[in-house]
Amino acid sequence: MFDFFVPTKLLFGPGKLSELHSQELPGKKAMVVISDGKSARASGALDRTVSELKKAGADCAVFDKVMANPLRSTVMDGAAFARENGCDFIVALGGGSVMDAAKAMAAMATNDGDIWDYMCGGTGGAKTLKNKPLPVVCITTTAGTGSEADQWGVITNDETNEKIGFGGYDFLFPVLSVVDPELMTTVPPKYTAYQGFDALFHSTECYISAAHNPMGDMLALTAIENIGKYLARAVNNGNDLEAREAVAFANTLSGMVMTVSCCTSEHSMEHAMSAYHQQLPHGAGLIMISKEYYSHFVNKHCCDNRFIAMAKALGKTDADKPEDFITALTDLQTACGVDGLKMSDYGIRTDELDSLAKNARDTMGGLFGADPSPMTHEECVAIYEKSYR
C-alpha cells in the first residue's frame, strides 16, 4: 500500500540544459540561486543558465551565498533578496545544498516570520505555511541528494546546532528539474564519491525502512544497482559520461524513493555530526558511520532478505547472507577511495558522541521511528563509538 505523487517535470540526459529555453517557465523574473563557491561560474553553467532563461523571456537576479549545509540565516537573506528584486520564481543551479536552500527561500519569500518558525523538530516552531511558495526550477550539477525530485530540504541553525529537514508540502516540489550529466563532469572525485554514497544511502535506508513498499522497493533497488555498477567509474574518471548519467539516474530515483518511503536514523545521526561540524560534507559523514550502522541491523536479523537483496544489487551476485551487504558496501567504498575517512579529521571528539546521539533524536527523532527495529540511545552511541577513528 502506498501513495505516490511526484509532479515535477523532469528533463533528463546529456545536453538537456540547452532545452530550458523551450520550456514553459513559471514566471518572468528568476532569482538564480548558486553556491558561494566558484564552480557554477567557472564551469560556464551559470552563463548558460542565464542565457537559456533570457531566451525564454525571463529576467534574472543572481544570489550566490549558499554554503554547504545551508544555514537558516542564508535562507532568510535569500528570501529577502527575492522580494527586494521582484522575483516571481526561483532557479536553483547547483547541488543539494543549493536546491534545499532554494525551496526554503521560496517558502519564506511568501510567508511571514523566520524559517525556524516552520521547522518540525528541535527548537522549531512547527507552524504551517499559509501561503504557497514561489515556484522552483532545479538544475542539478551534482548527483547526491535527489532534491530535484522531492519536496524536502535540510537546513542548519548554527546558533542551536540543529540540522533539520524542512518541507513535505506538495507545493514544494520543483515545477521543473533539469538533470544534465554534462554539468557533473567537473565535480572532483572525492565529492563525486560523497554525493554518490548519499544517494545510495537514501535508497538503502528506504529499502530497509519500516515504511518500505513495492513502489519504493522498485525505485530503491534500481538506484542501488546503478550506484554499485557505475559510481566507482564516475569517481575514477569524471568525464565518463555513461557513468555520470547512470549515477545521476540513481540519484533522481533516490529522491523519488523518499517521497514514497522514508529514510531511517542514519540520516538523523549524520545531521547531528555536520550540525556541530559545519565543514563535514554530509555524504562523508554518512560513509563514516555506514558500516557500523548497517552492521547493527544485520546483527539484529530484522530484515535479512532485504540485506541480501541489496548486496546482490550492489554487485555481489552470490550473496546468501545479510553480512554480504557489509562486504559489498566495504568493497565499493574501497573502490571509490573513501574507506579511510576519519571523524577526527573534522574535529569530532569521542567525548561528544553521547551528545550527538541525543541531538540526532531531539532534532530528527521521527526517522528513528522508521528503523527496521527499535534503536536505543545507548545503541546509537555505540554505533558512533565503533565508527570513530
Side-chain angles (χ1 to χ4, degrees):
M1 188 164 63
F2 61 87
D3 297 327
F4 187 65
F5 179 68
V6 182
T8 303
K9 182 176 183 180
L10 190 69
L11 305 183
F12 184 94
K16 283 294 183 178
L17 178 58
S18 297
E19 297 180 17
L20 179 62
H21 72 277
S22 65
Q23 304 302 305
E24 182 178 349
L25 298 179
K28 293 298 184 183
K29 185 170 185 181
M31 178 171 88
V32 181
V33 180
I34 62 175
S35 75
D36 59 359
K38 300 177 181 178
S39 58
R41 288 188 168 92
S43 69
L46 177 60
D47 286 344
R48 288 183 61 196
T49 298
V50 170
S51 175
E52 288 290 313
L53 291 169
K54 289 182 176 178
K55 281 184 189 178
D59 291 330
C60 302
V62 177
F63 182 85
D64 59 358
K65 294 178 171 52
V66 178
M67 67 292 292
N69 299 316
L71 299 178
R72 177 196 65 82
S73 55
T74 306
V75 167
M76 296 310 299
D77 288 345
F81 182 94
R83 291 192 298 269
E84 291 163 3
N85 286 273
C87 299
D88 54 5
F89 72 110
I90 294 179
V91 174
L93 173 65
S97 294
V98 169
M99 291 185 284
D100 285 6
K103 293 174 190 175
M105 291 172 188
M108 295 316 301
T110 60
N111 285 274
D112 295 331
D114 186 275
I115 183 66
W116 222 252
D117 298 335
Y118 301 91
M119 303 298 276
C120 296
T123 61
K127 289 174 62 176
T128 300
L129 293 174
K130 292 184 178 180
N131 302 316
K132 288 183 66 174
L134 298 180
V136 175
V137 173
C138 287
I139 303 170
T140 180
T141 59
T142 67
T145 68
S147 195
E148 71 274 11
D150 69 27
Q151 74 283 44
W152 293 95
V154 179
I155 307 299
T156 298
N157 186 335
D158 55 333
E159 296 177 0
T160 59
N161 296 118
E162 294 174 297
K163 184 178 177 184
I164 302 177
F166 165 78
Y169 301 90
D170 286 348
F171 52 48
L172 277 176
F173 277 101
V175 296
L176 171 67
S177 286
V178 178
V179 183
D180 185 339
E182 290 180 351
L183 301 179
M184 303 172 189
T185 58
T186 56
V187 178
K190 69 176 182 179
Y191 287 103
T192 298
Y194 298 163
Q195 293 154 7
F197 274 97
D198 186 15
L200 173 66
F201 295 139
H202 287 153
S203 283
T204 54
E205 290 176 45
C206 286
Y207 190 70
I208 65 170
S209 167
H212 72 79
N213 57 73
M215 176 64 80
D217 289 353
M218 177 184 70
L219 296 169
L221 286 176
T222 303
I224 294 167
E225 287 172 0
N226 279 272
I227 293 288
K229 186 174 181 179
Y230 291 101
L231 179 58
R233 277 177 52 179
V235 170
N236 293 315
N237 178 7
N239 291 314
D240 184 338
L241 199 58
E242 180 185 25
R244 288 287 188 186
E245 184 171 4
V247 174
F249 178 57
N251 177 56
T252 297
L253 292 182
S254 290
M256 294 178 179
V257 170
M258 290 185 285
T259 71
V260 72
S261 182
C262 180
C263 285
T264 61
S265 58
E266 183 183 19
H267 264 70
S268 302
M269 292 176 66
E270 197 297 312
H271 286 166
M273 294 161 65
S274 49
Y276 280 92
H277 301 275
Q278 183 75 14
Q279 298 309 309
L280 172 63
H282 174 55
L286 288 169
I287 293 167
M288 290 173 188
I289 62 173
S290 60
K291 286 187 284 186
E292 294 300 336
Y293 180 83
Y294 289 102
S295 292
H296 169 81
F297 292 111
V298 165
N299 293 333
K300 292 281 187 179
H301 293 287
C302 52
C303 51
D304 286 356
N305 289 337
R306 289 188 168 265
F307 277 110
I308 293 170
M310 291 195 300
K312 290 179 178 179
L314 271 185
K316 190 169 177 51
T317 55
D318 62 346
D320 60 4
K321 56 187 181 298
E323 292 83 1
D324 288 334
F325 173 74
I326 307 302
T327 301
L329 179 61
T330 301
D331 289 347
L332 183 60
Q333 291 179 359
T334 301
C336 292
V338 294
D339 51 319
L341 291 173
K342 298 178 180 179
M343 291 188 192
S344 56
D345 286 345
Y346 291 89
I348 299 174
R349 308 180 312 276
T350 54
D351 62 2
E352 65 179 306
L353 300 182
D354 186 86
S355 296
L356 293 182
K358 184 176 186 303
N359 178 282
R361 202 174 295 267
D362 287 346
T363 57
M364 293 194 66
L367 297 190
F368 283 85
D371 284 344
S373 69
M375 181 191 297
T376 67
H377 172 78
E378 291 74 21
E379 288 172 330
C380 185
V381 174
I383 291 170
Y384 281 135
E385 290 175 341
K386 291 175 183 177
S387 302
Y388 190 85
R389 287 191 285 180

